[in-house]
Amino acid sequence: MQKQKLRTRIVLRVSQFGAVLIALVVLSASVTLPIVHADQFDDQINALRQQNSQSQSALNGLQAQASSYQDAVNKLQDQINALQSAINANLAKQADLQQQIVAAQAELDKEKATLGEDIRAMYVGGQISTLEMLASSKDLSDFVDKQEYRSAVQDKIKTELDKVTKLKLQLQDQKEQVDDLLKDQKNQQDQLATAQSQQNQLLAYNQSQQADYNNQISSNQGKIADLRRQQIILNGQYNIGDFKGDPNNGGYPSAWANAPQDSMIDNWGMYNRECVSYTAFKVHQDFLAGKDNRDMPYWGGMGNANQWDDDARAYGIPVDDNPTPGSIAISNAGAYGHAMYVEAVNGNQIYVQQYNQQLNGQYSEGWRYTTGLVFIHF
């Protein structure tokens, strides 16, 4: 959040307040900021913001790179899936061929058995010689008939056996081709999986770098907030009730800040440029930054400030008399009450950011006492 610089009104000596040292770590490189006095907080804040700007630029580059890695991973996965479909089809074909080979062998065994039965039925004594066949024949014609039948039976056996054997060999040849194809496809799949694993490792490292930058940016934002609070305490602790406006409206979204007061409804069901709308926005902003445990509930229709402490209790949100930076100060005075965002605390004094304090729909900030206030801790 950008604010007008608060003019330093008290000259402080280093021996009175000590020195402030802030270390900013940018991944593996460490940048140490110089020790400064109370009237030089802006230098520290600007240095931290500059580091955050550089980190954000690096983060943007990593995000673009991560998108490229993810695209490569997705394309490799598509290829792996297509290859797996082909492998599945060939596995099914392999299994079918194996079943056909088994069936052919069974048919071959059946043909052998059937023809063997025929031979045994005709020649009960098993294999007989030509002389024996001639001796058992009634005449030469009978011998010729028996010889021809035997030859026919032998030819039939050979034909059937050759047919089934040929089919079996063809099936085995097809199965070998499918086996070789499956081997090649599985090798391709392994290569794709290796390539995908490498891309995933690059993506994971990239995401780790992004997390480091995000953590660094978040840490710097916390340091900036702490410096801002110290600056506020040292530069304005005696200006009780001296509320000043801010051209940047305390970070309030421009769509709401630039519209006429009460002409729009914000994301929480409250009219724009009202105190409750601004504090709801600040609660949500802190939640996104990880400073609050809870996001701002939708309190449309019950947005008056003097209702907030009761509503918070109903939601199980702590309410007490102890102000903390980031808490919401509530005054129940008047018909509607007033809500303020606590930026800094100094004893029984708080530095607040607020809207509509003068019923003019404008932003202002300044010090005030905690007397008569309760504080909501989201």
Side-chain angles (χ1 to χ4, degrees):
M1 175 187 307
Q2 298 290 330
K3 301 187 181 78
Q4 290 179 326
K5 291 184 178 179
L6 296 173
R7 297 181 58 188
T8 304
R9 302 186 181 185
I10 300 175
V11 178
L12 303 173
R13 292 181 301 172
V14 174
S15 60
Q16 291 176 311
F17 291 92
V20 180
L21 178 64
I22 293 181
L24 173 64
V25 179
V26 181
L27 292 180
S28 60
S30 178
V31 180
T32 303
L33 299 179
I35 297 175
V36 297
H37 304 296
D39 58 352
Q40 294 176 305
F41 279 103
D42 283 340
D43 292 339
Q44 296 184 71
I45 291 172
N46 290 336
L48 288 167
R49 285 174 175 164
Q50 177 64 27
Q51 291 295 336
N52 273 1
S53 176
Q54 294 173 357
S55 297
Q56 188 61 54
S57 177
L59 183 60
N60 292 340
L62 285 171
Q63 289 172 341
Q65 191 179 58
S67 177
S68 174
Y69 289 150
Q70 188 62 60
D71 183 59
V73 168
N74 293 340
K75 288 180 179 178
L76 286 167
Q77 188 60 52
D78 289 341
Q79 294 180 53
I80 290 173
N81 291 342
L83 194 55
Q84 186 61 55
S85 296
I87 288 173
N88 291 340
N90 283 324
L91 285 171
K93 184 176 181 181
Q94 182 189 55
D96 182 62
L97 287 169
Q98 183 61 43
Q99 289 179 351
Q100 292 184 55
I101 290 171
V102 172
Q105 183 62 52
E107 181 65 23
L108 184 59
D109 294 341
K110 179 182 177 182
E111 290 291 341
K112 286 181 179 179
T114 300
L115 293 173
E117 288 295 329
D118 289 344
I119 292 172
R120 280 192 293 274
M122 182 175 179
Y123 307 111
V124 177
Q127 296 292 331
I128 60 174
S129 66
T130 302
L131 182 60
E132 290 171 330
M133 188 184 297
L134 180 60
S136 64
S137 300
K138 296 178 181 179
D139 53 33
L140 184 59
S141 175
D142 185 35
F143 168 75
V144 171
D145 290 341
K146 288 181 179 181
Q147 182 67 30
E148 288 180 350
Y149 181 77
R150 182 178 180 182
S151 297
V153 169
Q154 289 176 336
D155 289 343
K156 183 177 181 182
I157 291 174
K158 185 177 185 304
T159 299
E160 291 297 327
L161 292 180
D162 287 347
K163 181 179 72 174
V164 176
T165 300
K166 182 179 179 181
L167 174 61
K168 180 180 177 181
L169 290 174
Q170 288 175 344
L171 292 172
Q172 288 176 335
D173 183 59
Q174 292 179 40
K175 184 176 179 296
E176 287 175 1
Q177 293 178 16
V178 172
D179 291 344
D180 290 340
L181 179 59
L182 278 170
K183 183 178 179 180
D184 290 341
Q185 288 176 333
K186 288 180 178 178
N187 286 337
Q188 292 177 40
Q189 192 177 51
D190 289 341
Q191 292 172 2
L192 288 172
T194 299
Q196 187 185 49
S197 176
Q198 292 172 347
Q199 290 294 324
N200 276 323
Q201 289 175 2
L202 290 171
L203 179 59
Y205 179 66
N206 177 288
Q207 291 171 338
S208 174
Q209 289 179 302
Q210 288 189 52
D212 288 340
Y213 276 116
N214 279 321
N215 289 336
Q216 176 200 324
I217 290 171
S218 178
S219 175
N220 286 351
Q221 288 173 337
K223 292 175 182 177
I224 290 171
D226 288 339
L227 288 169
R228 181 76 174 107
R229 291 183 184 110
Q230 294 178 55
Q231 185 183 50
I232 288 170
I233 290 172
L234 293 175
N235 289 349
Q237 60 182 323
Y238 299 109
N239 302 329
I240 300 298
D242 182 17
F243 295 112
K244 296 182 179 181
D246 188 319
N248 292 310
N249 301 303
Y252 194 53
S254 58
W256 299 338
N258 296 330
Q261 186 181 16
D262 298 339
S263 64
M264 301 179 68
I265 300 294
D266 67 16
N267 293 354
W268 303 277
M270 302 170 196
Y271 285 109
N272 66 312
R273 293 172 58 181
E274 293 285 352
C275 64
V276 288
S277 177
Y278 180 70
T279 49
F281 161 73
K282 290 295 291 182
V283 169
H284 178 65
Q285 191 178 50
D286 281 355
F287 174 75
L288 294 179
K291 298 178 182 179
D292 281 345
N293 295 323
R294 301 175 182 82
D295 200 355
M296 180 65 205
Y298 184 85
W299 282 353
M302 51 182 184
N304 290 340
N306 57 9
Q307 296 174 275
W308 271 42
D309 52 338
D310 292 332
D311 294 337
R313 293 186 185 95
Y315 273 80
I317 302 170
V319 180
D320 57 32
D321 298 327
N322 301 313
T324 57
S327 60
I328 302 301
I330 298 294
S331 169
N332 285 309
Y336 304 106
H338 186 54
M340 299 154 278
Y341 179 80
V342 178
E343 176 71 16
V345 179
N346 185 30
N348 64 345
Q349 303 169 19
I350 55 174
Y351 194 88
V352 298
Q353 298 171 323
Q354 59 194 350
Y355 253 82
N356 204 36
Q357 190 260 349
Q358 296 293 332
L359 303 180
N360 57 3
Q362 298 298 315
Y363 170 84
S364 62
E365 59 182 62
W367 287 96
R368 65 165 293 163
Y369 289 111
T370 59
T371 305
L373 302 179
V374 294
F375 300 91
I376 304 173
H377 305 275
F378 283 89

